[in-house]
């Protein structure tokens, strides 16, 4: 007989109601096959991606690292429908939602003319969610990102870390089954970034949305991700697909384990190898 689940077995333990649990159950599957992308904006075509294939399981957290300019953001934008692919297919399935994917960008992702609360509920307003439901969800998310005392503040009144918490809360609050994060913590100072990594991993473990995140920070990829995808220099192709073995719930403490050190060195060597071979610059990645 299977053992009864303990409170820590349920990633959504502590959530408010069954409705929350059902609403949060929707997660996307992403299947990208042989995606290539050529930009024709200058005199010469730029091959950003070539035959890049990736499958994201529902409720998984996947991080992409790679040399600067290898096409990471381009791929994220193609998955989110912000960019057209030149060749290949991308299918996002498994969860019907009015907002099929929600983005978190590195900076400037919040609307400066809206209050924190308005930012957090923006997607819900676009979906036609009732005022009462928006208020309930806003209260929940503002509390979870510790911004309940700043609901009426404007982004310029917040620190960079607080602004990113708004952007992250807004993405989660939409209930979208797929979150696409492009260096969401990249503009933060080192200390704030580490704190935010812990907060993000906790929020994600409660929600288990499908997440695809681009980062230059190898440690961040290993702390947050179930998998780390290493890309080649441009045109970006899949170089390595690494399963991250650390149990969840995870804390920043995994950084001090020998396995973490081994994986960090392995990924760094993989990026460095390309840089030394004349690739586009693993200097952007931080070991
Ligand atoms: N709209 C565009 N028009 C022309 N070229 C573009 C466009 N967008 C991206 N590129 C080029 O495509 C390549 C991949 O860009 P992309 O931003 O996806 O790389 P990246 O891996 O995310 O880079 P970084 O790590 O530096 O953010 C780069 O050479 C870039 O200059």
């Amino acid at each position: 007989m299977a053992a009864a689940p303990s409170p820590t077995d349920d990633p959504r333990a502590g959530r408010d109601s069954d409705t929350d649990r059902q609403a949060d159950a929707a997660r996307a599957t992403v299947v990208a096959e042989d995606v290539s992308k050529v930009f024709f904006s200058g005199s010469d075509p730029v091959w950003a991606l070539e035959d890049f294939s990736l499958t994201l399981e529902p409720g998984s957290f996947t991080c992409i690292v790679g040399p600067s300019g290898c096409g990471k953001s381009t791929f994220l934008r193609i998955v989110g429908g912000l960019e057209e692919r030149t060749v290949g297919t991308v299918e996002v399935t498994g969860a019907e939602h009015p907002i099929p994917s929600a983005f978190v960008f590195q900076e400037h992702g919040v609307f400066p003319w809206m209050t924190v609360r308005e930012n957090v509920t923006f997607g819900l307003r676009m979906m036609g969610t009732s005022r009462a439901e928006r208020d309930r969800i806003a209260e929940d998310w503002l509390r979870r990102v510790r911004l309940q005392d700043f609901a009426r503040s404007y982004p310029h009144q917040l620190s960079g870390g607080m602004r990113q918490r708004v952007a992250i809360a807004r993405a989660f609050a939409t209930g979208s089954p797929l979150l696409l994060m492009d260096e969401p913590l990249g503009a933060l100072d080192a200390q704030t970034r580490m704190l935010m990594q812990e907060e993000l991993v906790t929020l994600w473990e409660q929600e288990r949305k499908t997440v695809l995140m681009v980062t230059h920070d190898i440690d961040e990829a290993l702390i947050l991700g179930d998998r780390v995808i290493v890309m080649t220099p441009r045109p970006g192709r899949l170089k390595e697909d690494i399963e991250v073995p650390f149990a969840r719930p995870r804390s920043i403490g995994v950084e001090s384990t020998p396995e973490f050190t081994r994986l960090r060195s392995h990924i760094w060597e993989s990026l460095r190898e390309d840089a030394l071979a004349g690739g586009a610059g693993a200097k952007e990645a931080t070991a």
Side-chain angles (χ1 to χ4, degrees), residues 39 41 46 48 66-75 83 214 216 234:
F39 289 105
S41 58
V46 174
S68 181
C70 74
K72 301 181 292 295
S73 297
T74 300
F75 181 67
E83 196 82 70
V214 168
H216 285 116
R234 186 168 63 83

Side-chain angles (χ1 to χ4, degrees), residues 50-122:
E50 190 173 29
D51 294 335
F52 186 71
S53 299
L54 184 64
T55 296
L56 306 182
E57 300 298 334
S60 60
F61 198 128
T62 305
C63 293
I64 302 185
V65 299
S68 181
C70 74
K72 301 181 292 295
S73 297
T74 300
F75 181 67
L76 204 76
R77 292 167 62 83
I78 289 172
V79 172
L82 298 184
E83 196 82 70
E84 283 291 327
R85 64 205 177 274
T86 310
V87 183
T89 56
V90 177
E91 269 194 275
V92 180
T93 54
E96 296 301 321
H97 194 275
I99 300 181
S101 57
F103 275 86
V104 182
F105 296 103
Q106 181 171 353
E107 280 183 294
H108 314 301
V110 294
F111 301 120
W113 62 88
M114 288 185 188
T115 65
V116 166
R117 177 193 291 269
E118 287 165 349
N119 264 289
V120 169
T121 56
F122 175 75

